[in-house]
Amino acid sequence: MIDLRNIETFFWVATLGGFRAAAEKLNATQPAISQRIALLESDLGVRLFERNTRGITLTPKGSELLSHAERMLQMRQDMQVAARARKIMGGTLRLGVSETIVHTWLPRLMERLSDAYPALMVEIQVDTTTSLKSQLIAHQIDLAFLLEPMDDSRIESLHLCQYPLHWIAGPTLKVGRQPVTLQRLSQWPVITYSSTTGPYRMVRELMLAAGIERPRMYGSSAVSVIVRMAQDGVGTGVLATVFLAKEIERGELRVLEVKAPPLPPLRYAACWMQRPDSHVARTVAEVAQRIAREEDAKYQAIHIRQNPDKNFL
């Protein structure tokens, strides 16, 4: 019989790219991690990793089996959540979501909820954080994934994830040699999140502190608008690039080095009203938190392997 602990070990070695990182993640020794992988390879009758002086890589069969391992671990997590639930989850959950979450891990959350709670219906409302906060207070939605938690005693919240902000530009924008100054960038509008958000205010404060008296800024509640305007060379953009890997790889966007203090990351939280029937919202928020952490581990592992000399939030 295959030990689920060995499958979990295989998943984290593959995801984090090494035995040492997996040992730290699972609070185990490297020899124990190696033994678990050896046992799993013996049970399956296949080699999962190729080992050489530069490290390890998945074999073709290992790559094929990784998705199976992930599904098995997800099923275990879902079973644990269901076992802790006080009742079968059903009915309708009205979920409000900020757009960045839509472009990252929301599809995985919906798949997980469909598998674990087939009787639960979810209505999704995509809107700005400002609007979603108002809807939550007005009981128009049951759960919201917001940019920053709400400072309200009636609200419970759970940290979900955080994404670094970057300055970006399209290939036609002639910003000159990098790192580029804010004075140079002030020749074009700065396109970022809407004027009611923290990123907009922070960018404006940076520009003012740099001596730019009237910074031109375009705020948009639609991430797709920010991306398109930056691609078209309307101006520079400031946003989280976590979902823009393809555009950057194709050369449609580039990340700029800017002579300015670093921008704080976007911090997302799940928020819901304290009510007797808030168990469903809390449970979904906990599932969302686990998925966000899994996605962040993958994101960090990929970028650390590709950029070993850089730090990522």
Side-chain angles (χ1 to χ4, degrees), residues 52-267:
N52 53 50
T53 55
R54 292 179 296 178
I56 62 169
T57 57
L58 282 167
T59 63
K61 181 56 70 173
S63 296
E64 178 185 345
L65 294 177
L66 181 59
S67 62
H68 294 279
E70 183 175 9
R71 284 199 296 273
M72 293 178 70
L73 295 176
Q74 288 177 356
M75 290 176 65
R76 181 184 67 176
Q77 290 177 339
D78 293 339
M79 185 175 181
Q80 291 170 339
V81 171
R84 291 195 298 266
R86 291 174 291 188
K87 59 183 179 180
I88 296 175
M89 295 220 312
T92 300
L93 174 75
R94 299 166 299 174
L95 174 63
V97 186
S98 294
E99 191 179 358
T100 297
I101 302 301
V102 176
H103 293 292
T104 50
W105 46 262
L106 183 65
R108 280 200 62 202
L109 172 63
M110 299 312 298
E111 290 179 11
R112 188 81 62 89
L113 294 178
S114 177
D115 291 340
Y117 310 111
L120 179 66
M121 304 295 292
V122 182
E123 295 179 355
I124 301 173
Q125 171 73 26
V126 181
D127 212 327
T128 64
T129 285
T130 301
S131 178
L132 292 176
K133 286 180 178 179
S134 298
Q135 293 177 49
L136 191 62
I137 294 297
H139 302 282
Q140 295 171 347
I141 56 177
D142 306 304
L143 175 65
F145 297 159
L146 306 173
L147 179 58
E148 301 176 352
M150 295 176 63
D151 185 15
D152 190 311
S153 60
R154 298 168 295 173
I155 299 294
E156 291 189 73
S157 64
L158 197 64
H159 173 74
L160 293 174
C161 55
Q162 67 179 40
Y163 298 124
L165 286 170
H166 295 290
W167 293 82
I168 62 169
T172 62
L173 205 68
K174 308 300 182 183
V175 299
R177 295 181 61 182
Q178 298 187 51
V180 61
T181 64
L182 290 175
Q183 287 80 3
R184 172 67 175 168
L185 293 184
S186 68
Q187 296 182 40
W188 303 277
V190 178
I191 311 156
T192 188
Y193 303 93
S194 64
S195 59
T196 59
T197 64
Y200 184 102
R201 293 191 294 270
M202 178 60 68
V203 171
R204 189 173 187 278
E205 289 171 6
L206 286 178
M207 303 287 277
L208 291 172
I212 302 162
E213 294 183 0
R214 295 182 179 178
R216 288 187 296 162
M217 296 187 62
Y218 296 164
S220 175
S221 60
V223 170
S224 57
V225 172
I226 303 172
V227 172
R228 182 57 187 267
M229 292 178 73
Q231 286 176 321
D232 290 347
V234 175
T236 58
V238 174
L239 79 167
T241 60
V242 62
F243 59 91
L244 295 176
K246 292 181 179 178
E247 288 81 358
I248 293 172
E249 184 178 351
R250 291 194 297 256
E252 298 170 2
L253 288 171
R254 52 192 167 133
V255 176
L256 302 177
E257 292 185 52
V258 180
K259 289 183 179 179
L263 294 165
L266 300 182
R267 293 183 171 88

Side-chain angles (χ1 to χ4, degrees), residues 6 9 13 18-20 22-23 28-42 49 51 56:
N6 296 343
T9 301
V13 171
F19 285 71
R20 182 169 63 181
T29 64
Q30 283 187 244
I33 296 298
S34 298
Q35 184 179 25
R36 293 178 195 175
I37 295 300
L39 287 172
L40 183 58
E41 289 179 328
S42 176
F49 296 100
R51 301 159 176 83
I56 62 169

